[in-house]
Amino acid sequence: MTLSDVKPGGECCIVEIHIGDMTGQRLLDMGFIPGAKIKVIRNAPLVDPVDLLIKGYHVSIRHSEAKFVEVTPL
Amino acid sequence: MKKEPGKIVIAVAGQPNSGKSTIFNMLTGARQHVANYPGVTVEKKTGFYRYKGDTVELVDLPGTYSLTSYTQEERIARDFLLHEKPAAIVNIVDASNLERNLYLTFQLGEMGIPLVIALNMMDVAKSRGFKIDTEELARQLKASVVPTVGNRGKGKKELEEAIAATYRNTATVPFHLDYGEALEISLNSLEKRLKENPGLSESYSLRWMAIKLMENDSEAKKILEKKGK
Ligand SMILES: Nc1nc2c(ncn2[C@@H]2O[C@H](COP(=O)(O)OP(=O)(O)OP(=O)(O)O)[C@@H](O)[C@H]2O)c(=O)[nH]1
Ligand SMILES: [Mg+2]
């Protein structure tokens, strides 16, 4: 599953980032690396942004970015 | 008569909201000058202070999460470091977000410019119960680490001392992150080939060039095309 599918309150762990270039780099810069744990705060289908907690801080990303983040539920 | 000591240029770099401007203001007071970087509307703030006969000029770089070629702010920060060659970088690190902030620290260190780490927001880190082993951090990063609370002026004297010690030390050891055998073999052979280019090794850290080329970085490729032949 991808981060885009995780419901609010759901916790997951990053398996892989399936995008490179600018978007991939931006995600890496913000701490999106395999093994990192994420808690989803706000996520409504088709409504941006997706709000989440990663490594103790808040990050907002778009669905178009979140769908490249492969995760596994915790 | 004693020679008038030259101006020493120091860059202030860090992630957005880490307290760069606060530390910049703490060190320079009112002696500031605002202009734009050439050709863009991004503000360039410079200021200076005197320390034991030295004139230290600080440049407040745009806040960036990393130093790629993807955004204008990152290119500006990186070009400044590459081409103006400051004597040292004061890297403002948010101690309450240490892990994420260190990512930029690694990239700064890899450029081969000596680093001074201002471990800022120490009050926030403490209130969250974080205990940071600053000596171990300094040892691993091969840089001085100075705890600061910028908005209360804490750590000013220690930071000034660490900055001076860094630009006066001509034998600083460059920071080196080990990427593991698989990547190091390629990085080393790439670096060796870059070394055959005198024009390149004069102006750039070859280790940095090798890493950026491996990342397929557009600016690094441009530099290679220009200087490479
Ligand atoms: N609690 C606390 N707040 C701080 C500290 N240092 C700076 N601040 C505050 O943090 C906020 C951000 O500081 P700035 O100096 O503007 O950060 P900056 O890195 O220049 O931010 P950008 O230029 O937007 O990237 C301000 O409200 C400061 O007053 C500190 O050590 N502790
Ligand atoms: Mg600022």
Side-chain angles (χ1 to χ4, degrees):
Chain A
M1 73 189 295
T2 80
L3 184 56
S4 180
D5 312 316
V6 182
K7 302 266 178 322
E11 295 185 45
C12 58
C13 177
I14 298 180
V15 178
E16 211 179 322
I17 312 289
H18 294 281
I19 188 170
D21 287 334
M22 186 168 172
T23 306
Q25 183 66 49
R26 207 174 82 82
L27 290 171
L28 287 174
D29 294 347
M30 293 188 297
F32 287 75
I33 52 172
K37 293 184 178 68
I38 294 177
K39 180 170 181 172
V40 174
I41 306 297
R42 205 182 71 167
N43 182 7
L46 306 174
V47 183
D48 280 334
V50 181
D51 286 337
L52 42 91
L53 263 178
I54 179 166
K55 294 184 173 162
Y57 52 88
H58 279 270
V59 176
S60 299
I61 64 173
R62 299 189 189 94
H63 277 282
S64 60
E65 297 164 332
K67 70 172 198 248
F68 291 110
V69 181
E70 184 188 338
V71 297
T72 177
L74 282 182
Chain B
M1 233 173 85
K2 260 207 327 206
K3 218 176 91 189
E4 169 78 9
K7 183 181 72 178
I8 295 142
V9 177
I10 305 288
V12 179
Q15 292 197 345
N17 234 20
S18 55
K20 289 178 301 302
S21 301
T22 306
I23 298 285
F24 176 88
N25 291 338
M26 174 177 100
L27 290 172
T28 61
R31 289 150 300 187
Q32 299 181 6
H33 176 75
V34 182
N36 278 350
Y37 286 94
V40 293
T41 53
V42 177
E43 211 175 64
K44 180 182 184 184
K45 221 160 83 183
T46 54
F48 71 91
Y49 67 92
R50 294 194 199 284
Y51 184 84
K52 294 186 179 165
D54 294 336
T55 301
V56 182
E57 182 177 295
L58 287 187
V59 180
D60 191 12
L61 294 180
T64 60
Y65 288 106
S66 82
L67 281 182
T68 62
S69 311
Y70 290 123
T71 70
Q72 187 176 61
E73 281 79 11
E74 293 185 25
R75 280 196 300 273
I76 287 169
R78 204 167 92 171
D79 285 349
F80 182 85
L81 298 173
L82 275 181
H83 303 125
E84 308 294 321
K85 298 195 172 37
I89 301 169
V90 182
N91 176 203
I92 315 301
V93 166
D94 176 354
S96 68
N97 269 313
L98 189 57
E99 187 178 346
R100 187 192 63 193
N101 273 251
L102 285 179
Y103 182 59
L104 177 68
T105 303
F106 291 159
Q107 298 198 40
L108 292 170
E110 278 177 342
M111 295 188 79
I113 302 166
L115 290 185
V116 176
I117 310 289
L119 202 54
N120 198 35
M121 311 266 179
M122 277 304 274
D123 54 331
V124 183
K126 267 191 199 133
S127 73
R128 293 197 190 156
F130 298 168
K131 287 203 182 80
I132 299 172
D133 186 343
T134 52
E135 275 171 34
E136 179 60 17
L137 196 61
R139 203 181 60 76
Q140 295 224 12
L141 295 173
K142 299 190 173 76
S144 322
V145 175
V146 181
T148 58
V149 182
N151 57 341
R152 277 188 251 139
K154 275 195 191 161
K156 181 176 183 221
K157 202 172 129 264
E158 294 81 356
L159 192 56
E160 284 176 345
E161 273 166 19
I163 292 169
T166 303
Y167 66 67
R168 284 175 182 169
N169 179 5
T170 48
T172 46
V173 188
F175 168 75
H176 188 106
L177 186 65
D178 189 341
Y179 287 97
E181 205 182 342
L183 289 179
E184 287 296 339
I185 288 171
S186 308
L187 279 174
N188 287 338
S189 78
L190 199 51
E191 203 179 322
K192 247 188 224 136
R193 285 183 58 192
L194 292 171
K195 211 178 266 170
E196 291 162 15
N197 243 299
L200 210 57
S201 49
E202 266 165 31
S203 315
Y204 302 99
S205 151
L206 296 184
R207 166 95 180 161
W208 178 83
M209 271 298 280
I211 292 167
K212 286 294 147 186
L213 288 171
M214 209 128 102
E215 286 176 5
N216 203 21
D217 183 277
S218 59
E219 293 285 317
K221 285 197 283 189
K222 258 187 236 158
I223 291 172
L224 190 61
E225 274 162 28
K226 255 196 266 163
K227 294 243 177 184
K229 286 275 134 62

